[in-house]
Amino acid sequence: MASESPRRPSRCAGGVLVRAQAATEQSYMESVVTFLQDVVPQAYTGAPLTDEKEKVIWVRFEKADLNDTARNPEFIEMHSGTSDPPLCLMIGYTDGMQIWSVSLAGEAQELFSVRHGPVRAARILPAPHISPLKMDSFADKRPLLGVCKSAGSSGTSPPYCCADLYSLRTGEMVKSIQFKTPVNDLHCNKHILVVSLQEKIAAFDSCTFTKKFFVTSCYPCPGPCLNPIALGSRWLAYAENKLIRCHQSRGGACGDSAQSYAATVINAAKTLKTGLTMVGKVVTQLAGTLPAGTPDEEGTPHCVSRRSPHNPGVVTIIDTNSVGEGQVLVSEDSDGEGVVAHFPAHDKPISCMQFNPSGMLLVTADTLGHDFHVFQILTHPWSSSQSAVHHLYTLHRGETEAKVQDMCFSQDSRWVAISTLRGTTHVFPINPYGGTPCARTHMSQRVVNRMSRFQKSAGLEDIEQELNKAAGLGGGAGGGIGGSSCILGGGGGVGGRCSPIPGLSSSPSGSPLHGRA
C-alpha cells in the first residue's frame, strides 16, 4: 500500500495536520513556467478562470499561553526533554484567518480557522491576572482569541467596527464588542484589552471585558498604522495631540538630527517639483481649463497644519493600573492622574512605537522613517513633570522616506529590528543603559554594564578563565601559606579566592583592581 503524501493534509481530532516535507528548489525552467502561469491570463490558454491559491494578507508568530512551557509542562515531554515550545503561527487571508501550532519536528497542527471575510487584526489573549476582588467570567472558555474582521456578528454593522472574542477551546464566539468607527488594531496584556480606533483608544478589563477607560486626544497618523500605540505589561504609550507644559517630563527629544547632503538634495527636488506643479496650475487656471475654486491638494494639508494648535510627535505614557475609570485627559486643568510621562519625541507625527520586554525602553518612529529614537523612561511617584526621559539613541535608516510597519526589541534589549513597507528590515545594536555598542557589550552571552565594570570588580571574568583553565588541565594540588580548598580544585596561597558557590567571588579582595600579595 502506498504511503500517504506529506503534501496532503490529513484530518485529526484537532483539525488539519500538515506533515513536514523537505524544501525543494525550483530549477530555472520551472521558475519561468511558474512565472508565466501566474502572469499570463488564463483566457489566452483556454483554461478556466480559477484561482486555487489563497492570498495571504499578513503572517505573525504569536507568543501566548498556548506555547508557554510554564503553563504547559507537557510540551517538555512531547519534545524529547527539550524546553523549546512549539511555534504559534497566525495567517490572515482575504476571507479569514488560521492559527497553526508548528512543532520542532515540522508538523503543523491547525488550532483555529474562521472564514467570514478578511481579518484586519487578531490577538491571542493571555490568561488574566486574577485579583481577590475580581472573578474571571470566561475561565471555562479560555484561551480566547480577539478578532477584528470585515463583517460583525450581526451582519448589519459597518466593516471592521467590532471586536469578536472566540474561544479556542470550543470554537464558539463568546462576546462581541461594537464600535461606531472602524477598529485599527488590537493589543492585550494580563490586565486589559486595548482596542485602537482611528482617533480613539478604548481599554477593557481582561476578566469581564467591561470598559475601563478611553482616550480621545490621539494624534492620527497617515499610515500604515492610523493610531500608533505601544502596550507593555503595565504602561500604555500613545501619540498625544498637544504638548502640555505643566505635565511635560524632563528630557525627550527636542528636535531631529540635521539632514545629510543626500537628503537635502532629495528634499530640494521635491520642493522644485511642488513649485513647478503650482506654476502649472496657475497657468492652467489663467488659460481657463481649471476652475478658480479648485482646492490645492498638496498645499491644503500644510496650511491646515500651520494653523492647527496641535503638536505632532508628542508621546504620553499612562499607568493602566492606576489610571481612573472614564476618559483619560491630559490638559492644563487636569491633575494628570495615571500619567507617568509626557514628552516630545519627534518633529513629525509618530507612526510606530514599541516597548522592550521590561517596559523601561521605548523606541519611536515618525512618518518619514529616517530616524528612530530610543528613550529610557524613569518615572516619579508624584507627577509626570518630575519623571525623567533619557534620549539614549537616534537610529538612522537612510535618505529615502519609508513607512515603518513594525518594530521589535530582542529579549535582552541589545538589538532593535525595524521593518518598513519597502521590504527591508534594519537591525541596530544598542545597550539597555546607553553608551556605544562594542564587541565587549555584544559578544558576551549576558548584558555587560560597561559603566560600572561589575564583572571585573566582582572577579567573575577571572573566575571563568580559571575555571576553563582548570577544566583543561584537570586541576592541581594545592598548598602554600594560608592555602585553602578552592572551587578550582587547585591550590591557594595568600590571596587565593574561595567561594562555596561556583562562579562567585567570596570577597572584594578577589577583584583584579586590588593588589595581590
Side-chain angles (χ1 to χ4, degrees):
M1 183 176 179
S3 60
E4 186 178 0
S5 173
R7 295 180 179 270
R8 183 180 304 169
S10 60
R11 285 285 177 180
C12 58
V16 178
L17 177 65
V18 179
R19 298 180 180 179
Q21 54 182 319
T24 59
E25 184 177 358
Q26 288 184 337
S27 62
Y28 179 76
M29 292 303 299
E30 291 176 346
S31 302
V32 172
V33 172
T34 304
F35 175 77
L36 292 176
Q37 290 177 351
D38 294 339
V39 174
V40 178
Q42 298 296 326
Y44 295 148
T45 61
L49 297 176
T50 58
D51 188 8
E52 298 180 355
K53 298 181 179 180
E54 292 184 294
K55 185 177 181 180
V56 177
I57 304 298
W58 52 267
V59 177
R60 185 178 69 249
F61 285 108
E62 189 81 356
K63 183 179 180 181
D65 298 336
L66 297 176
N67 53 355
D68 188 1
T69 55
R71 292 183 172 273
N72 302 281
E74 64 272 10
F75 286 151
I76 302 179
E77 302 176 358
M78 292 171 57
H79 300 305
S80 303
T82 62
S83 58
D84 296 331
L87 298 176
C88 187
L89 179 63
M90 303 177 66
I91 305 177
Y93 304 99
T94 55
D95 61 343
M97 64 163 295
Q98 284 181 323
I99 301 179
W100 297 82
S101 177
V102 184
S103 64
L104 297 182
E107 293 185 350
Q109 176 71 40
E110 183 186 25
L111 302 179
F112 182 81
S113 178
V114 58
R115 299 302 175 97
H116 299 293
V119 175
R120 174 174 290 183
R123 297 282 180 177
I124 299 179
L125 277 62
H129 175 73
I130 306 299
S131 63
L133 301 178
K134 293 191 304 183
M135 294 183 60
D136 188 6
S137 305
F138 301 89
D140 55 341
K141 303 294 183 180
R142 295 186 187 273
L144 299 180
L145 172 68
V147 178
C148 174
K149 55 183 184 295
S150 59
S153 57
S154 60
T156 59
S157 60
Y160 305 111
C161 287
C162 64
D164 298 333
L165 302 180
Y166 288 89
S167 173
L168 295 181
R169 178 176 298 182
T170 62
E172 60 178 341
M173 188 180 66
V174 296
K175 189 175 182 59
S176 180
I177 306 175
Q178 304 291 332
F179 300 94
K180 296 181 180 180
T181 58
V183 176
N184 182 40
D185 201 356
L186 301 176
H187 301 266
C188 56
N189 58 16
K190 293 184 178 181
H191 299 277
I192 58 174
L193 168 65
V194 178
V195 180
S196 174
L197 307 174
Q198 291 184 356
E199 296 183 2
K200 182 181 178 181
I201 300 173
F204 299 86
D205 186 80
S206 60
C207 294
T208 60
F209 295 106
T210 57
K211 183 178 290 187
K212 189 174 182 180
F213 63 87
F214 61 95
V215 181
T216 58
S217 58
C218 302
Y219 195 98
C221 177
C225 183
L226 301 179
N227 190 6
I229 66 174
L231 179 63
S233 59
R234 180 166 177 170
W235 293 349
L236 171 64
Y238 64 94
E240 188 75 48
N241 60 8
K242 190 177 181 180
L243 181 63
I244 308 300
R245 299 296 180 181
C246 61
H247 298 290
Q248 182 178 355
S249 304
R250 301 178 181 180
C254 298
D256 294 335
S257 58
Q259 292 180 339
S260 62
Y261 176 76
T264 305
V265 172
I266 294 174
N267 290 336
K270 292 182 179 179
T271 305
L272 180 61
K273 178 183 177 182
T274 304
L276 294 177
T277 304
M278 295 177 62
V279 172
K281 289 182 178 180
V282 172
V283 173
T284 307
Q285 184 176 358
L286 293 177
T289 57
L290 184 66
T294 303
D296 186 2
E297 294 83 359
E298 297 182 1
T300 301
H302 299 282
C303 297
V304 173
S305 62
R306 292 192 187 101
R307 296 192 300 265
S308 176
H310 295 170
N311 304 109
V314 180
V315 175
T316 298
I317 302 177
I318 60 176
D319 187 354
T320 59
N321 290 355
S322 61
V323 69
E325 297 183 358
Q327 183 178 2
V328 177
L329 183 61
V330 182
S331 63
E332 297 179 355
D333 300 331
S334 64
D335 56 355
E337 181 184 3
V339 179
V340 297
H342 179 73
F343 60 96
H346 292 273
D347 292 337
K348 302 293 182 181
I350 297 175
S351 62
C352 191
M353 292 184 289
Q354 190 64 252
F355 280 112
N356 71 326
S358 66
M360 300 300 295
L361 299 181
L362 179 69
V363 58
T364 61
D366 60 359
T367 53
L368 297 181
H370 293 158
D371 297 326
F372 316 105
H373 296 169
V374 180
F375 300 97
Q376 184 183 28
I377 313 300
L378 302 177
T379 61
H380 196 276
W382 287 355
S383 63
S384 61
S385 60
Q386 301 296 327
S387 301
V389 180
H390 293 178
H391 185 194
L392 299 183
Y393 297 97
T394 296
L395 312 176
H396 186 73
R397 181 196 62 86
E399 311 302 343
T400 58
E401 296 184 7
K403 295 183 178 181
V404 178
Q405 187 176 13
D406 196 6
M407 299 188 295
C408 181
F409 282 90
S410 61
Q411 289 297 324
D412 55 5
S413 300
R414 287 191 289 181
W415 301 91
V416 177
I418 300 174
S419 300
T420 65
L421 291 182
R422 291 184 176 271
T424 58
T425 298
H426 304 264
V427 181
F428 302 92
I430 65 169
N431 291 324
Y433 48 83
T436 304
C438 58
R440 182 175 181 270
T441 60
H442 282 71
M443 295 299 292
S444 176
Q445 295 182 357
R446 56 178 175 267
V447 177
V448 181
N449 193 337
R450 186 181 180 185
M451 302 301 294
S452 65
R453 306 282 184 176
F454 170 75
Q455 301 297 330
K456 287 189 176 181
S457 64
L460 299 184
E461 293 184 352
D462 290 350
I463 289 179
E464 289 184 357
Q465 294 178 2
E466 294 177 3
L467 282 173
N468 296 333
K469 183 179 179 180
L473 298 179
I481 302 175
S484 60
S485 59
C486 289
I487 60 175
L488 303 179
V494 178
R497 294 187 302 276
C498 305
S499 175
I501 302 177
L504 297 179
S505 60
S506 59
S507 65
S509 63
S511 171
L513 300 180
H514 296 270
R516 297 178 182 269

